[in-house]
Amino acid sequence: MSGPHQAVDTIGEQRTTIVRKRAIAAAVAVLLAAISVGGCGAHSDTGSDSAATEAGSGTPSADAAPADWGKGDYEKAMKRLTRTLRDTDAEPVDSGFPDVMDGFNRTFRTPGERPYRLDIDCAAPGTGELTLTLKRGDEEQDWAVTCNDQEADRFDIPATGKPFTASIAAPDSKTTGVIHWRLVTVREDRAADDCGDDIKGCDG
C-alpha cells in the first residue's frame, strides 16, 4: 500500500516543484524587464533635467548687453545727461543723443568770434569710458570720455575758419547706452585760461 502512494506523492511533488520554478522564473523575467524599462526612463529624465539646468543657469555670452534697457531706462538716462550738460551761461549751438552702438561722428563749423566748447557725457552700464577723437585738418587729439559720471567732459574749441570733426567709434561688441553731446559758445571771460584749443593741444 505504501509503495504506490509514495510514487504518486513523489510525482506530485515533482510537478509542484516544476510549476513553482516556472512561476519564479516568470516573476524574475517580469522584474528584470521592469527594472530595464525603469532604468531607461530614469536616464532619459536625468538627461532632460540636466539639459534644462544647463540652459537655465548658463552664463551670458561675452557680447551680451550688461543690462536690459527699455524705453524708460533710456528716458531716465537722457534726463540725467541733460542735467549734467546744462550750462545757463553758454549759448547752445547744436546737440544730440546718439546710441552708443551707433557711435558718434559729426563735423561742425566754428564761425564768429566767441569760443566754442563741446560738452559730452555718456550713460552706459558696464562701460567705463569711450574714446573721443577731435580732428581739424592735420591736427588730431584723442580724449577719454568717462561714462556714468556726475560731470560732463568739456573740450575747448576756438572759433576758426576751419571745421572740426568729433567722433566716437561704434563698439565692436554689443553695448547698451546713450551718448549726449552739446556744442555751445561761451563768453570770452569764461573761455579757458590756457591755450583754449583741445584739438591742437597746449604742448607747443
Side-chain angles (χ1 to χ4, degrees):
M1 295 284 295
S2 62
H5 281 293
Q6 288 178 350
V8 172
D9 292 341
T10 301
I11 293 173
E13 290 175 359
Q14 290 176 350
R15 289 179 178 176
T16 301
T17 302
I18 292 172
V19 171
R20 287 177 178 173
K21 287 181 178 181
R22 288 178 178 175
I24 292 171
V28 170
V30 171
L31 180 61
L32 290 175
I35 292 173
S36 176
V37 172
C40 291
H43 180 72
S44 176
D45 291 343
T46 302
S48 176
D49 290 344
S50 177
T53 300
E54 291 178 3
S57 61
T59 55
S61 60
D63 61 349
D68 223 2
W69 271 25
K71 181 180 179 181
D73 297 301
Y74 275 98
E75 290 177 348
K76 290 178 182 178
M78 292 168 69
K79 289 179 180 178
R80 185 188 69 77
L81 291 173
T82 299
R83 291 193 299 269
T84 301
L85 269 64
R86 182 177 296 145
D87 184 352
T88 56
D89 292 330
E91 177 96 19
V93 176
D94 200 357
S95 64
F97 284 94
D99 191 286
V100 171
M101 282 301 296
D102 295 332
F104 165 55
N105 193 315
R106 288 288 300 269
T107 298
F108 303 98
R109 294 174 60 250
T110 56
E113 297 181 356
R114 290 180 53 151
Y116 289 77
R117 192 183 69 212
L118 179 65
D119 300 341
I120 191 163
D121 198 1
C122 49
T127 300
E129 63 183 31
L130 300 174
T131 300
L132 169 69
T133 300
L134 297 176
K135 183 177 176 63
R136 182 182 57 226
D138 296 332
E139 300 168 334
E140 182 176 328
Q141 292 283 346
D142 287 338
W143 298 93
V145 175
T146 304
C147 293
N148 315 305
D149 202 1
Q150 299 300 318
E151 294 184 6
D153 291 295
R154 306 182 189 275
F155 304 94
D156 296 309
I157 314 290
T160 66
K162 295 181 180 180
F164 79 94
T165 299
S167 62
I168 294 177
D172 295 330
S173 58
K174 186 175 181 180
T175 304
T176 302
V178 62
I179 300 168
H180 183 27
W181 61 268
R182 189 169 180 255
L183 183 67
V184 300
T185 59
V186 295
R187 297 195 310 266
E188 289 284 352
D189 60 347
R190 296 194 67 239
D193 294 332
D194 51 14
C195 64
D197 190 347
D198 283 322
I199 300 178
K200 181 179 179 179
C202 305
D203 297 335

